[in-house]
Amino acid sequence: MPDAVADATTPAAPADSPAPAGSPAPGDAPAFDGRIPRVRVVGTGGTIAGSSAATTAKHYQAGVLTVEDLLGAVPQLASLATMTCEQLCQIDSVEMDLPLQLTLARRVAELAARDDVDAVLVTHGTDTLEESAYLLHLLVLTDKPVVVVGAMRPADAPGADGPSNLLNAVRVAAHPSSRGLGTLVVVGEEIHSAREVRKEHASRVEAFGSPHGPLGEVTGGVPRYAHMPRQLHGAASAYDLEALEGLDDLPPVEVLVTRAGMPSALVDAVVATGARGIVHVGPGAGNVPDRVAEALDRARATGVVVVRSSRVARGTVARGDAYDDQGHDYVAGGDLGPYKARVLLALALTVTDDTARIQDMFDTH
Ligand SMILES: NC(=O)C[C@H](N)C(=O)O
């Protein structure tokens, strides 16, 4: 279980300061249903909380500073919202897994349901940020803004990007125009939909992008949206945490990437692990070599659900377009990236193993 840290109203100045920050002056902050917005921050670790001083073994260590430290380093937050925070876990997000992501989703949903919380912000490592954010997008049934933010440089690096990302993330979370958009990911000045965003660069600060561009950007301290997320999310999502009560993990789904000459025995090996679903990541439009298709068909015959996805970053794996999905009884993954397809398939398998219904979920979510 992650370490739970009690509620903390985060001071932007030392706690014993005679004039603790965290209570914005009326007029500084955008009206949020006529109130000063109250943003709750959940810390999970990542490079945004990383420190170069904390390790000699590698360049830096992720997940060292507490979320309270992170907020305290950006005093400007106090003029935007009343900030409170808690630490859910303290990890490098490469260690993230579905049980912990479910715990995060449950906690974010609990917070979003509270009358004293207007928006929830999650600080997260960038490696698996897009998977956690998509799970929140599907499971947290709220119209309140839910924002996930990370950074590419540790907090003590020259030119650390965490503080400015955090500032923009709070600007987004604390603004009424961010309501009803599902889970948003803020990196730099850009605001992305959790469904679309992908980490596209291994090391640069501008590491994230969306195939059709960001939903909007923060300019002049204000979020400005150009697009709306089209697929179902948040309050309109077909999934909900109540239906998952008692589950501490989701059905096992593996992602299998085909490269030239990949042995089809790998498919059988994945089935032998007990996988209930396989996201096949093929070249081009999600193409499947014949010998791999034979193995996937064997898997399908035992009830494993196969989703066709592409290793190409942009474009759509359309049902029956370049491949006979109907004949093989596969699900076409559309324009969802393979790692998000894995999240959606795992959730879908908690509801049904009917491929027509799962196809519909992929078409609508
Ligand atoms: N930039 C980062 O946050 C990378 C780090 N490995 C993490 O995901 O926690």
Side-chain angles (χ1 to χ4, degrees):
M1 270 305 284
D3 294 330
V5 169
D7 279 18
T9 296
T10 300
D16 58 357
S17 160
S23 308
D28 279 2
F32 206 105
D33 285 348
R35 290 190 310 270
I36 288 164
R38 296 155 302 181
V39 176
R40 178 68 163 199
V41 187
V42 179
T44 70
T47 297
I48 191 167
S51 163
S52 322
T55 178
T56 50
K58 47 185 185 173
H59 175 48
Y60 72 93
Q61 189 176 330
V64 176
L65 279 75
T66 66
V67 64
E68 208 167 347
D69 294 334
L70 302 186
L71 299 187
V74 191
Q76 294 88 338
L77 298 180
S79 66
L80 292 169
T82 301
M83 308 292 302
T84 59
C85 66
E86 63 188 58
Q87 192 83 43
L88 182 86
C89 59
Q90 186 65 300
I91 59 166
D92 185 315
S93 81
V94 74
E95 307 296 344
M96 187 56 86
D97 58 15
L98 270 174
L100 187 49
Q101 286 168 322
L102 274 178
T103 302
L104 174 65
R106 288 186 170 117
R107 184 60 187 150
V108 171
E110 264 169 30
L111 292 168
R114 269 168 48 170
D115 288 341
D116 62 346
V117 171
D118 295 311
V120 184
L121 177 59
V122 177
T123 58
H124 197 293
T126 57
D127 286 350
T128 55
L129 185 150
E130 64 205 65
E131 294 163 62
S132 297
Y134 187 46
L135 192 74
L136 297 177
H137 193 62
L138 294 171
L139 282 179
V140 179
L141 311 187
T142 182
D143 280 334
K144 293 180 185 176
V146 175
V147 178
V148 186
V149 65
M152 293 299 288
R153 294 179 183 154
D156 56 0
D161 50 333
S164 57
N165 285 352
L166 194 55
L167 181 59
N168 280 334
V170 172
R171 285 172 169 148
V172 169
H175 203 278
S177 65
S178 304
R179 294 181 67 125
L181 301 179
T183 297
L184 302 167
V185 172
V186 176
V187 188
E189 274 70 45
E190 293 184 347
I191 312 163
H192 294 266
S193 168
R195 184 187 184 276
E196 312 295 334
V197 73
R198 294 188 191 192
K199 190 170 184 181
E200 293 179 338
H201 198 282
S203 56
R204 280 194 204 156
V205 165
E206 306 84 17
F208 285 82
S210 295
H212 307 289
L215 290 184
E217 54 190 36
V218 179
T219 311
V222 177
R224 297 167 203 275
Y225 293 96
H227 309 289
M228 297 285 285
R230 185 175 52 81
Q231 288 82 3
L232 300 178
H233 59 263
S237 161
Y239 302 98
D240 75 80
L241 282 161
E242 265 172 45
L244 302 181
E245 210 176 306
L247 278 188
D248 56 13
D249 202 352
L250 295 180
V253 172
E254 297 307 330
V255 177
L256 201 57
V257 183
T258 273
R259 42 88 178 165
M262 189 190 84
S264 60
L266 284 183
V267 176
D268 303 315
V270 165
V271 174
T273 66
R276 288 189 49 206
I278 294 177
V279 175
H280 175 266
V281 190
N287 294 316
V288 191
D290 289 344
R291 68 183 183 291
V292 175
E294 279 170 28
L296 289 172
D297 289 346
R298 281 197 298 278
R300 181 73 204 108
T302 68
V304 174
V305 174
V306 176
V307 170
R308 250 184 353 103
S309 178
S310 174
R311 64 189 205 189
V312 178
R314 298 208 276 172
T316 297
V317 176
R319 184 168 173 79
D321 177 22
Y323 202 76
D324 179 15
D325 292 302
Q326 291 88 335
H328 291 272
D329 198 20
Y330 298 162
V331 172
D335 63 351
L336 205 57
Y339 307 105
K340 294 187 207 231
R342 181 243 178 180
V343 170
L344 182 56
L345 179 55
L347 272 181
L349 286 169
T350 64
V351 179
T352 183
D353 53 13
D354 179 275
T355 49
R357 285 185 66 196
I358 295 175
Q359 181 66 67
D360 186 55
M361 291 177 185
F362 271 78
D363 292 343
T364 53
H365 290 73

